């Protein structure tokens, strides 16, 4: 049995985050959507129905009987059991949308489905980038229970201060936490394996610091915040998600934001998350090719993989940055920074693709990760086909 994760109609709605990955590989809470479903259903083999140019890295399904999942929602316990009990040709539907089915991928067709059952009750669904940080508290709570149930946390060192219930703090093996304050009254706090919280940090949950990630000296972290694996964060952050392998290592503020992988925010980079007139924030929508009202008063930065900012960069409320962009010009960049922008302004040249790959190789090698031929093919396709 294999799990088949479908982007359904959502892939374009999550750009620029999905330029380099299927929807299932986005992180929200502690886990990616794919990791969460693998743990819930106890099926390790995975495949994807996604954009053709991504299939070199994210393999297409084998022609066997499979569990087909639209991954970007949090299921109830009842829904998990319903999915496990699906028989061949059966499916679950939510708000007239197919969410899960047991089908044979050899002759993949929805005509295989002979029985559809409506999911009762309300699900927590993620349909756009801002949902990731807006609903991150619920995802952290879900994953905390999933990962820690029946397990015992490592003890918190006596050099720290804890405000709240110890049962809402979980520290994995080899994590280091010293001379910091942790507040679980406001939400659960999860500290991953080999993670480190340096001296003088202040955390107000809900917070997930994933495997190998670090809070630098004196960091101020407000929930709901997720720092993905092997990332470093300093300064002040509020309700952000970093997918992984990215750094905001210095002073500066970022709030209500999503940052992809292999990004770096230079020292004193600041991102506004609230307009001076307190109006709703508009964000660029790649599907509609225009800025649309998010309905949110707080929304900051959405940044695709491999992008960078120089020191002292100032970003306006509701800034969207594409893949492999370099922002280093004086003044505020526009609210949409194109893929491979070299400078960040609208009229700037594009970052040479070969040099962009060279930089990516150097950055990734520092984490002992290789830039594969599949990764290069993805960057090349984005460079040639997506100008915004």
């Amino acid at each position: 049995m294999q799990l088949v994760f479908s982007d359904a109609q959502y892939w374009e709605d999550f750009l620029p985050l999905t330029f380099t990955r299927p929807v299932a590989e986005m992180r929200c809470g502690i886990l990616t959507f794919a990791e969460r479903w693998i743990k819930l259903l106890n099926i390790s083999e995975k495949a994807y129905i996604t954009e053709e140019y991504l299939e070199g890295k994210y393999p297409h399904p084998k022609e066997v009987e499979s569990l087909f999942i639209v991954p970007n929602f949090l299921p109830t316990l009842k829904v998990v059991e319903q999915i496990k009990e699906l028989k061949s040709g059966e499916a679950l539907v939510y708000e007239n949308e197919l969410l899960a089915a047991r089908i044979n991928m050899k002759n993949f067709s929805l005509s295989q489905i002979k029985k559809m059952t409506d999911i009762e009750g309300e699900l927590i669904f993620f349909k756009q980038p801002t949902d990731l940080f807006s609903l991150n508290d619920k995802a952290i709570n879900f994953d905390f229970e999933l990962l820690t149930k029946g397990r015992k946390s490592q003890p918190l060192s006596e050099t720290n201060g804890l405000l709240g219930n110890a049962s809402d703090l979980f520290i994995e093996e080899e994590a280091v936490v010293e001379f910091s304050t942790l507040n679980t009254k406001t939400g659960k706090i999860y500290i991953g394996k080999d993670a480190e919280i340096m001296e003088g940090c202040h955390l107000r949950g809900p917070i997930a610091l994933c495997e190998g990630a670090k809070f630098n000296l004196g960091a101020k972290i407000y929930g709901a915040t997720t720092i993905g694996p092997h990332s470093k964060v300093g300064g002040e952050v509020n309700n952000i998600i970093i997918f992984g392998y990215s750094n905001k290592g210095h002073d500066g503020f970022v709030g209500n934001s999503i940052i992809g992988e292999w990004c770096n925010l230079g020292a004193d980079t600041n991102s506004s998350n609230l307009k001076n007139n307190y109006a709703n924030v508009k964000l660029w929508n790649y599907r509609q090719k225009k800025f649309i009202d998010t309905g949110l008063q707080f929304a900051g930065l959405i940044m695709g993989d491999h992008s960078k900012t120089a020191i002292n960069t100032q970003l306006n409320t509701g800034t969207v940055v594409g893949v492999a962009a370099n922002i280093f010009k004086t003044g505020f960049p526009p609210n949409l920074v194109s893929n491979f922008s070299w400078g960040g302004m609208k009229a700037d040249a594009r970052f040479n693709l070969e040099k962009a790959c060279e930089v990516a190789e150097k950055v990734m090698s520092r984490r002992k990760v290789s830039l594969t031929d599949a990764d290069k093919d993805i960057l090349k396709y984005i460079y040639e086909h997506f100008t915004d």
Side-chain angles (χ1 to χ4, degrees), residues 187-316:
K188 301 179 189 299
I189 297 177
Y190 175 87
I191 311 300
K193 185 178 184 297
D194 293 320
E196 181 179 5
I197 299 176
M198 296 184 183
E199 306 91 291
C201 292
H202 301 292
L203 281 65
R204 290 175 62 89
I207 291 169
L209 184 67
C210 297
E211 181 174 349
K214 293 183 180 181
F215 287 137
N216 287 347
L217 287 166
K220 295 176 285 187
I221 314 297
Y222 298 86
T225 286
T226 295
I227 308 302
H230 307 288
S231 299
K232 297 178 183 178
V233 170
E236 181 180 4
V237 300
N238 176 21
N239 188 205
I240 75 166
I241 296 175
I242 295 178
F243 282 177
Y245 297 96
S246 291
N247 294 333
K248 182 216 166 292
H250 305 284
D251 284 344
F253 173 77
V254 177
N256 305 95
S257 298
I258 310 291
I259 297 170
E261 293 186 336
W262 310 111
C263 298
N264 189 73
L265 303 187
D268 202 34
T269 291
N270 288 276
S271 175
S272 169
N273 65 337
L274 174 67
K275 295 172 70 70
N276 284 353
N277 62 1
Y278 287 61
N280 286 352
V281 180
K282 293 182 178 181
L283 280 171
W284 179 256
N285 184 285
Y286 287 85
R287 183 189 294 277
Q288 298 185 39
K289 294 181 170 54
K290 65 179 182 180
F291 289 94
I292 63 169
D293 189 339
T294 63
L296 300 174
Q297 195 173 57
F298 291 91
L301 168 68
I302 309 295
M303 177 177 276
D305 290 2
H306 296 287
S307 287
K308 316 282 191 295
T309 67
I311 61 170
N312 299 315
T313 297
Q314 308 299 309
L315 300 169
N316 272 311

